[in-house]
Amino acid sequence: MAIRDIKIRIDSVKNTRQITNAMKMVAASHLRRAQTRILAARPYANHLDTMLRTLKKKNVASRHILLDDTPRKGKELLVVVTADRGLCGSFNTGIIRRALSFIQENPNTDIVCVGRKGYDSLRKRTDRVIEHYVGIFNDMEFFRSRDVADHVLDLYLHHDYARIKVLYNEFKSAIQQNIIIKTVLPVQPLESDIVSSIDYIYEPDEDTVIEELGCKVMHVDMWRIMLESSAAEQGARMTAMDSATDNATEMIGALTLQFNRERQAAITTEIIEIASGADAINQ
Amino acid sequence: MSKIKLEVRKPEGQVVKAEFDQVIVPGIEGDFGVLPGHTPFITRLRPGILTCIDNTVETRWAIHDGFVTVEADMVLIACEIAEKSDDIDAERAREAHKRAEKRLRVKQDDTDFRRAEMALHRAVARLGSLKSDSEL
């Protein structure tokens, strides 16, 4: 390769490195924001969970469809949560692969896609997608995830789905994401022993409270899932961009070495030419 | 006089954690005032105004959609929307009020009544929380 060409390559790799490095920083700050929001949602979610557990323990007899977890026959609904954007390692592909294998195992499954990447890919590979939400992660607000939750609730209550599951990336740490499937309906309170020991009076009555509570728990579950997925996405992007930046640095090193060798070779050739020219004159 | 603790939690975070002399909560069966030593009970909220009274200072919040847990010395509210009266855009609330009323009046087959009604309630609650700040 000519010296000039190498120079051009080096400059272009440097540009790429600048971009990946900037993306890494942006992902890191988005990640922090998502993490703070996960923490902020906790008091509210725990409050509802404790209420639910207390009620469940108290009147096991009056079961509501939102809470009834005895196995039932019927269709499955899988909510597939991916990102809206790419460049985040295997974040999206992992989910899509898992979704396809889930459909193969459970042929009677309908799909709701959240996130552009999952929708773009799954609608080509299966005809099971009945609804999709795109662009939620650009501007994360509670009411947006509530819309998704309300739609899913409506499907559960008025169309005979036995269960509603969500497939998403659980946020473990900035460098680790786990793909998990969580059952959101029927509503299951978190495993914990915290039950309120106070004997409350319920207004208007326990059944009305439990029905409304089921919906609200579902809303906040969905919100938490969206937040986790978005945190995981940013974490995955951060890792991917970090290794891209490292690769670029490595490549620049190798190219610079090659550039210097070529330069040295050119100089050596020139000196030899001059020296032999001078020799010829002297003789 | 002993005080009563109030905590208001939203999915986006805890918005109030303070002590007051008295708290007035919009329950589904009507507004009720809570003083220390109240009977423990749980009720749904309706869109309305949460009034917190401390000495003579009143703070008002428009709250919608949630639950309140009352214990002897504590009021815990979990709701999806809570806005302090100072932060509410009166103009927008009035617009929403008009819109919702119109939607309920002009009956069309595809009108989602439950939604329109909820929207109306919300607008009324927002406007209500502003009321004594500046008469509308």
Side-chain angles (χ1 to χ4, degrees):
Chain A
M1 213 182 325
I3 290 191
R4 253 175 56 89
D5 292 339
I6 299 177
K7 187 91 187 112
I8 292 168
R9 282 283 310 272
I10 292 179
D11 286 344
S12 107
V13 176
K14 269 188 181 155
N15 277 336
T16 311
R17 181 174 66 172
Q18 222 160 35
I19 293 167
T20 56
N21 202 27
M23 280 184 79
K24 184 180 102 184
M25 310 281 207
V26 173
S29 95
H30 281 242
L31 172 64
R32 256 196 305 279
R33 205 161 60 207
Q35 272 177 302
T36 348
R37 289 178 125 182
I38 292 175
L39 286 181
R42 233 166 244 174
Y44 177 81
N46 288 346
H47 183 153
L48 294 190
D49 259 340
T50 314
M51 272 177 77
L52 193 62
R53 267 197 302 273
T54 314
L55 265 171
K56 228 184 165 182
K57 203 176 164 194
K58 203 166 161 245
N59 54 341
V60 190
S62 70
R63 283 177 174 277
H64 191 272
I65 181 167
L66 288 172
L67 297 152
D68 182 8
D69 51 9
T70 45
R72 260 183 299 158
K73 282 212 172 84
K75 288 184 286 180
E76 300 258 357
L77 185 77
L78 188 69
V79 182
V80 179
V81 184
T82 56
D84 283 324
R85 292 150 187 252
L87 288 179
C88 43
S90 59
F91 182 88
N92 293 317
T93 44
I95 290 278
I96 291 161
R97 211 177 306 132
R98 189 76 186 76
L100 290 172
S101 71
F102 186 90
I103 299 171
Q104 227 150 41
E105 288 159 25
N106 312 275
N108 205 2
T109 305
D110 283 337
I111 300 241
V112 171
C113 281
V114 179
R116 176 176 287 116
K117 284 287 164 179
Y119 176 59
D120 282 351
S121 162
L122 286 176
R123 74 171 161 180
K124 284 179 212 138
R125 297 194 213 176
T126 151
D127 52 3
R128 288 287 175 177
V129 182
I130 53 166
E131 181 68 77
H132 65 278
Y133 292 87
V134 157
I136 286 188
F137 296 104
N138 290 338
D139 173 25
M140 282 277 278
E141 291 294 344
F142 175 72
F143 69 87
R144 286 169 156 250
S145 78
R146 195 182 56 194
D147 284 349
V148 180
D150 274 336
H151 183 76
V152 171
L153 267 168
D154 182 59
L155 287 172
Y156 180 74
L157 291 174
H158 302 120
H159 303 80
D160 36 305
Y161 288 103
R163 273 169 296 283
I164 313 263
K165 290 178 177 170
V166 183
L167 169 64
Y168 71 107
N169 273 294
E170 181 194 32
F171 177 77
K172 273 277 165 203
S173 73
I175 47 164
Q176 202 197 349
Q177 300 88 39
N178 288 343
I179 293 177
I180 59 166
I181 293 183
K182 190 187 177 206
T183 307
V184 288
L185 281 172
V187 173
Q188 289 153 335
L190 294 175
E191 285 299 322
S192 161
D193 307 326
I194 305 169
V195 176
S196 181
S197 56
I198 301 168
D199 190 17
Y200 296 104
I201 300 166
Y202 289 89
E203 250 180 55
D205 53 63
E206 287 166 8
D207 289 323
T208 325
V209 170
I210 215 166
E211 174 172 5
E212 189 64 21
L213 187 59
C215 296
K216 293 289 179 283
V217 170
M218 166 72 191
H219 286 170
V220 73
D221 260 357
M222 201 53 110
W223 173 236
R224 228 167 4 175
I225 286 169
M226 300 288 169
L227 286 178
E228 286 228 7
S229 171
S230 134
E233 175 197 341
Q234 300 303 340
R237 178 163 301 124
M238 215 173 88
T239 323
M241 289 303 114
D242 188 48
S243 51
T245 308
D246 285 351
N247 284 344
T249 309
E250 209 175 288
M251 202 162 169
I252 290 169
L255 283 171
T256 311
L257 190 69
Q258 201 188 345
F259 175 79
N260 286 338
R261 278 212 189 107
E262 296 279 343
R263 192 173 52 101
Q264 199 69 58
I267 292 168
T268 316
T269 327
E270 265 174 49
I271 290 175
I272 289 172
E273 274 166 13
I274 294 166
S276 29
D279 267 357
I281 291 167
N282 286 343
Q283 273 167 10
Chain B
M1 197 168 113
S2 62
K3 294 208 164 190
I4 188 150
K5 280 187 219 130
L6 171 72
E7 289 190 23
V8 179
R9 294 151 178 173
K10 289 203 298 178
E12 291 96 338
Q14 190 148 311
V15 286
V16 184
K17 187 178 187 178
E19 295 194 335
F20 295 97
D21 292 329
Q22 192 193 354
V23 185
I24 301 168
V25 186
I28 194 103
E29 316 246 276
D31 290 8
F32 56 92
V34 185
L35 293 165
H38 201 281
T39 321
F41 82 113
I42 288 178
T43 180
R44 278 181 61 188
L45 294 169
R46 66 179 171 77
I49 304 147
L50 167 74
T51 315
C52 318
I53 302 164
D54 194 27
N55 272 326
T56 53
V57 187
E58 264 189 33
T59 352
R60 276 184 308 280
W61 296 72
I63 58 177
H64 327 270
D65 259 348
F67 299 95
V68 55
T69 306
V70 179
E71 287 169 16
D73 58 345
M74 213 165 21
V75 177
L76 299 172
I77 292 176
C79 59
E80 295 192 342
I81 305 173
E83 297 156 317
K84 204 172 182 177
S85 62
D86 309 347
D87 301 336
I88 292 171
D89 184 344
E91 203 46 53
R92 240 184 91 190
R94 256 192 294 267
E95 291 278 309
H97 186 237
K98 265 186 232 153
R99 241 189 349 260
E101 259 188 343
K102 196 174 150 202
R103 234 181 327 165
L104 285 173
R105 222 174 19 237
V106 186
K107 284 188 185 167
Q108 277 168 348
D109 290 342
D110 58 344
T111 314
D112 186 341
F113 274 97
R114 210 181 63 87
R115 275 187 97 121
E117 211 174 10
M118 283 307 284
L120 183 65
H121 283 314
R122 281 183 195 147
V124 169
R126 287 199 177 110
L127 290 172
S129 76
L130 294 167
K131 211 138 213 175
S132 33
D133 287 354
S134 56
E135 285 302 322
L136 293 164

mmCIF file of all heavy atoms in Angstrom, chain A residues 22 44 112 139 155 173 191 214 220 236 252 259 279:
data_model
loop_
_atom_site.group_PDB
_atom_site.id
_atom_site.type_symbol
_atom_site.label_atom_id
_atom_site.label_comp_id
_atom_site.label_asym_id
_atom_site.label_seq_id
_atom_site.Cartn_x
_atom_site.Cartn_y
_atom_site.Cartn_z
ATOM 1 N N ALA A 22 -17.418 8.667 21.547
ATOM 2 C CA ALA A 22 -18.503 9.554 21.951
ATOM 3 C C ALA A 22 -19.747 8.746 22.291
ATOM 4 O O ALA A 22 -20.427 9.010 23.291
ATOM 5 C CB ALA A 22 -18.807 10.539 20.830
ATOM 6 N N TYR A 44 -42.593 3.034 45.208
ATOM 7 C CA TYR A 44 -43.955 2.865 44.695
ATOM 8 C C TYR A 44 -44.263 1.390 44.456
ATOM 9 O O TYR A 44 -45.282 0.864 44.913
ATOM 10 C CB TYR A 44 -44.087 3.664 43.392
ATOM 11 C CG TYR A 44 -45.417 3.542 42.707
ATOM 12 C CD1 TYR A 44 -46.498 4.304 43.120
ATOM 13 C CD2 TYR A 44 -45.585 2.689 41.627
ATOM 14 C CE1 TYR A 44 -47.715 4.214 42.483
ATOM 15 C CE2 TYR A 44 -46.802 2.581 40.983
ATOM 16 C CZ TYR A 44 -47.861 3.346 41.404
ATOM 17 O OH TYR A 44 -49.069 3.234 40.767
ATOM 18 N N VAL A 112 -46.398 -9.404 20.863
ATOM 19 C CA VAL A 112 -46.462 -7.940 20.863
ATOM 20 C C VAL A 112 -45.015 -7.449 20.922
ATOM 21 O O VAL A 112 -44.269 -7.863 21.807
ATOM 22 C CB VAL A 112 -47.253 -7.406 22.077
ATOM 23 C CG1 VAL A 112 -47.123 -5.893 22.181
ATOM 24 C CG2 VAL A 112 -48.718 -7.800 21.973
ATOM 25 N N ASP A 139 -37.898 8.415 24.412
ATOM 26 C CA ASP A 139 -38.427 9.399 25.333
ATOM 27 C C ASP A 139 -39.220 8.617 26.378
ATOM 28 O O ASP A 139 -40.412 8.456 26.265
ATOM 29 C CB ASP A 139 -39.311 10.359 24.525
ATOM 30 C CG ASP A 139 -40.046 11.335 25.403
ATOM 31 O OD1 ASP A 139 -39.564 11.595 26.504
ATOM 32 O OD2 ASP A 139 -41.103 11.818 24.966
ATOM 33 N N LEU A 155 -56.056 -7.254 26.273
ATOM 34 C CA LEU A 155 -55.954 -8.529 25.566
ATOM 35 C C LEU A 155 -56.208 -9.689 26.529
ATOM 36 O O LEU A 155 -56.896 -10.648 26.208
ATOM 37 C CB LEU A 155 -54.564 -8.689 24.941
ATOM 38 C CG LEU A 155 -54.269 -7.836 23.713
ATOM 39 C CD1 LEU A 155 -52.808 -7.966 23.328
ATOM 40 C CD2 LEU A 155 -55.161 -8.235 22.557
ATOM 41 N N SER A 173 -25.602 -5.767 35.450
ATOM 42 C CA SER A 173 -24.607 -4.718 35.677
ATOM 43 C C SER A 173 -24.295 -4.117 34.326
ATOM 44 O O SER A 173 -24.817 -4.571 33.317
ATOM 45 C CB SER A 173 -23.351 -5.302 36.311
ATOM 46 O OG SER A 173 -22.659 -6.049 35.341
ATOM 47 N N GLU A 191 -41.425 -12.389 45.622
ATOM 48 C CA GLU A 191 -41.185 -13.279 46.747
ATOM 49 C C GLU A 191 -40.652 -12.462 47.914
ATOM 50 O O GLU A 191 -39.616 -11.823 47.806
ATOM 51 C CB GLU A 191 -40.157 -14.344 46.358
ATOM 52 C CG GLU A 191 -40.697 -15.428 45.452
ATOM 53 C CD GLU A 191 -41.829 -16.216 46.083
ATOM 54 O OE1 GLU A 191 -41.752 -16.478 47.299
ATOM 55 O OE2 GLU A 191 -42.784 -16.537 45.366
ATOM 56 N N GLY A 214 -54.446 -4.948 40.926
ATOM 57 C CA GLY A 214 -53.863 -5.820 39.907
ATOM 58 C C GLY A 214 -53.408 -5.011 38.701
ATOM 59 O O GLY A 214 -52.294 -5.181 38.209
ATOM 60 N N VAL A 220 -46.882 -0.880 36.791
ATOM 61 C CA VAL A 220 -45.546 -0.572 37.307
ATOM 62 C C VAL A 220 -44.561 -1.679 36.940
ATOM 63 O O VAL A 220 -43.386 -1.419 36.694
ATOM 64 C CB VAL A 220 -45.562 -0.251 38.818
ATOM 65 C CG1 VAL A 220 -45.783 -1.477 39.642
ATOM 66 C CG2 VAL A 220 -44.280 0.437 39.237
ATOM 67 N N ALA A 236 -25.088 -2.549 27.274
ATOM 68 C CA ALA A 236 -24.573 -3.348 26.158
ATOM 69 C C ALA A 236 -23.889 -2.448 25.140
ATOM 70 O O ALA A 236 -22.816 -2.769 24.622
ATOM 71 C CB ALA A 236 -25.715 -4.110 25.492
ATOM 72 N N ILE A 252 -5.078 1.562 14.583
ATOM 73 C CA ILE A 252 -4.274 2.754 14.313
ATOM 74 C C ILE A 252 -2.801 2.466 14.598
ATOM 75 O O ILE A 252 -1.914 2.838 13.831
ATOM 76 C CB ILE A 252 -4.769 3.954 15.164
ATOM 77 C CG1 ILE A 252 -6.130 4.408 14.667
ATOM 78 C CG2 ILE A 252 -3.778 5.109 15.104
ATOM 79 C CD1 ILE A 252 -6.834 5.384 15.575
ATOM 80 N N PHE A 259 2.999 2.475 8.306
ATOM 81 C CA PHE A 259 3.279 3.780 7.698
ATOM 82 C C PHE A 259 4.755 4.151 7.896
ATOM 83 O O PHE A 259 5.456 4.523 6.955
ATOM 84 C CB PHE A 259 2.367 4.828 8.344
ATOM 85 C CG PHE A 259 2.619 6.241 7.898
ATOM 86 C CD1 PHE A 259 2.122 6.698 6.679
ATOM 87 C CD2 PHE A 259 3.360 7.120 8.679
ATOM 88 C CE1 PHE A 259 2.344 7.993 6.266
ATOM 89 C CE2 PHE A 259 3.594 8.418 8.270
ATOM 90 C CZ PHE A 259 3.078 8.854 7.059
ATOM 91 N N ASP A 279 28.772 8.057 -5.936
ATOM 92 C CA ASP A 279 29.840 7.099 -6.222
ATOM 93 C C ASP A 279 30.220 7.117 -7.703
ATOM 94 O O ASP A 279 31.396 7.172 -8.063
ATOM 95 C CB ASP A 279 29.388 5.675 -5.835
ATOM 96 C CG ASP A 279 29.819 5.357 -4.410
ATOM 97 O OD1 ASP A 279 30.492 6.222 -3.811
ATOM 98 O OD2 ASP A 279 29.476 4.272 -3.901
#
